[in-house]
Amino acid sequence: MKIISAQQIAGLAISPVECLQWIEYCFRIKYNSVLPPKISIHAPGEVFFNTMPCYLPAPESFFGAKLVSRFPNRTPALQSEILLYDATSGELLALLDGDWITAMRTGAVATLAIKMLRSTQATVYAFMGLGNTARATLSCLLESSPTETFHVKLLAYKHQEESFIERMSQYNNVRFTICQSTQELITESDVIVSCITVATDLIGRDEWFKEGVLVVPVHTRGFQNCDLFFDKVYADDTQHVNNFKYFNRFQKFDEMSQVLLHKSPGRENNTERILSYNIGIALHDIYFASEIYKRTINNTPVLKWEKPQTKFWV
C-alpha cells in the first residue's frame, strides 16, 4: 500500500483544466458506477463525519471510500482521507490525503456547472466563502477560459478577500470588486458561488436574485428560499439531495449527467433562474485518487482523457 501525501499530490502539478476534464468524464460514466449515498454523522458544535464510498467498473476497475470531517476549531476545518482499492483483486492500493482532491474536484464541479448553466449574457460573478474551494473554483474557471474577462465580486470577511486576490494575481483575465454586504454581493450578479460551510439563516432575499441568475451553493447552505421559486434545480446525484426540505417542491429537477448526455435541456433561455447543488460525490474522489495513484506508480503522466468533438462548454 502506498501512502500519498498532500505534498506528493501537489508535486504532480495537475492543472485545473485537467481537473475539469476529469470531472466531465466522471459525469459521463456516472450511470455505470455504483454510488451509494454518503453516510453522515453529526455531532454538537457543527462537527460532522461523512463516509463516501464508490465503485468504478472497467476500464477503471477501482473502488474506495473517502472520510471527510469538519471541526470548526481545526485548521483547516474540513479534512479528508481516501482509501483506494483494486476492484479486481480487492488489494488496498493507497491511502491518500484527500484535501487537495476535495478542493479541486469540488471547484471543478462548480466550474462545470457554471459553464453549462450560466446565462449567455453572464459577466458578473459573485463569490462568498473565500477558502480553498472558492480558490479552486475560480482557478478552474479562469484557466479554462483564458480569452474571457471576468468581473468577480467578493464578499469581505476577516480580510480573506485580500489574500484571495493575492492568490489570483497570476491571472490577467479577472478584475475584482469588494462587497461589504450579501445584498451588494447578490444584487445584479449573474452567477453566485457560495463556498461557506455553515449558514444558520437564509443568505439573500428573493428579490435580490435577478432573472437569469445561476446560484451554485457548494455546501448547500443558506439558499433554501431559492428552492421554492427558481425555475430549475440540478444536482450531482438525486440520492444526495432528495432529503432536502423542499425537494418535492422544486419546479424542475434533474442531474448534471443528464445534461451532458443530452437527456435534459439544461438552460433554455437567459431569463431562467437556476440552482445547481453540485457539492461533489465519491465518484469524483475515487476517480481523482485512481489517476493520482497511477501517476505515482508509473512516475510518468497518465494518458489524458480525450475530450469528445461535441462541446458542452466553451
Side-chain angles (χ1 to χ4, degrees), residues 64-67 80-84 92 94-99 101-102 285-286 288-289:
K66 180 173 83 168
L67 177 65
S80 60
E81 296 78 36
I82 298 173
L83 289 169
L84 181 70
L92 174 59
L95 170 64
L96 299 92
D97 184 292
D99 291 349
I101 292 174
T102 299
D285 297 304
I286 302 308
F288 271 50

Side-chain angles (χ1 to χ4, degrees), residues 266-291:
R267 178 177 289 277
E268 296 180 275
N269 59 64
N270 285 335
T271 63
E272 289 178 326
R273 293 181 176 91
I274 297 179
L275 193 60
S276 183
Y277 281 126
N278 296 296
I279 60 175
I281 46 181
L283 168 62
H284 306 144
D285 297 304
I286 302 308
Y287 184 79
F288 271 50
S290 70
E291 292 299 301

Side-chain angles (χ1 to χ4, degrees), residues 21-254:
Q21 293 173 341
W22 287 356
I23 286 298
E24 184 172 343
Y25 175 70
C26 286
F27 276 124
R28 292 180 183 280
I29 66 169
K30 177 179 183 293
Y31 302 119
N32 295 324
S33 67
V34 181
L35 183 66
K38 65 184 176 184
I39 300 170
S40 295
I41 298 175
H42 291 266
E46 295 290 345
V47 171
F48 67 74
F49 304 84
N50 290 339
T51 304
M52 305 168 62
C54 182
Y55 172 84
L56 299 175
E60 282 74 26
S61 296
F62 293 96
F63 71 90
K66 180 173 83 168
L67 177 65
V68 56
S69 60
R70 181 183 188 276
F71 285 80
N73 295 325
R74 182 177 64 188
T75 303
L78 283 169
Q79 291 186 13
S80 60
E81 296 78 36
I82 298 173
L83 289 169
L84 181 70
Y85 296 81
D86 185 318
T88 302
S89 67
E91 178 188 359
L92 174 59
L93 300 173
L95 170 64
L96 299 92
D97 184 292
D99 291 349
W100 183 92
I101 292 174
T102 299
M104 289 307 300
R105 64 86 152 136
T106 308
V109 169
T111 297
L112 183 61
I114 291 169
K115 287 179 169 289
M116 290 172 57
L117 300 173
R118 65 182 171 178
S119 162
T120 60
Q121 300 173 342
T123 59
V124 181
Y125 298 76
F127 279 74
M128 61 187 301
L130 305 179
N132 289 334
T133 302
R135 287 195 288 266
T137 301
L138 189 56
S139 295
C140 289
L141 190 60
L142 297 176
E143 290 205 17
S144 62
S145 303
T147 61
E148 185 177 349
T149 300
F150 294 84
H151 175 198
V152 175
K153 297 160 66 176
L154 304 176
L155 181 65
Y157 180 73
K158 295 183 177 179
H159 302 289
Q160 290 179 349
E161 67 279 4
E162 297 170 5
S163 60
F164 188 91
I165 292 173
E166 183 179 353
R167 288 288 293 271
M168 295 294 141
S169 60
Q170 61 182 298
Y171 300 107
N172 57 16
N173 59 333
V174 60
R175 65 181 180 91
F176 293 100
T177 299
I178 306 302
C179 300
Q180 300 300 323
S181 69
T182 53
Q183 181 175 1
E184 182 186 1
L185 183 81
I186 291 171
T187 302
E188 296 305 317
S189 293
D190 300 300
V191 176
I192 299 162
V193 181
S194 171
C195 298
I196 63 172
T197 56
V198 175
T200 56
D201 299 306
L202 295 178
I203 290 170
R205 297 179 181 176
D206 294 3
E207 61 269 21
W208 296 353
F209 297 92
K210 64 181 290 188
E211 280 194 344
V213 70
L214 169 67
V215 176
V216 184
V218 172
H219 297 291
T220 76
R221 307 293 186 90
F223 293 90
Q224 288 77 15
N225 55 321
C226 298
D227 295 351
L228 300 174
F229 75 98
F230 270 39
D231 300 287
K232 292 177 179 176
V233 180
Y234 288 94
D236 291 341
D237 180 72
T238 303
Q239 293 184 90
H240 286 77
V241 298
N242 61 6
N243 63 339
F244 284 12
K245 181 178 180 180
Y246 298 123
F247 177 79
N248 292 326
R249 296 174 65 180
F250 291 165
Q251 295 190 33
K252 291 184 180 179
F253 171 79
D254 215 332

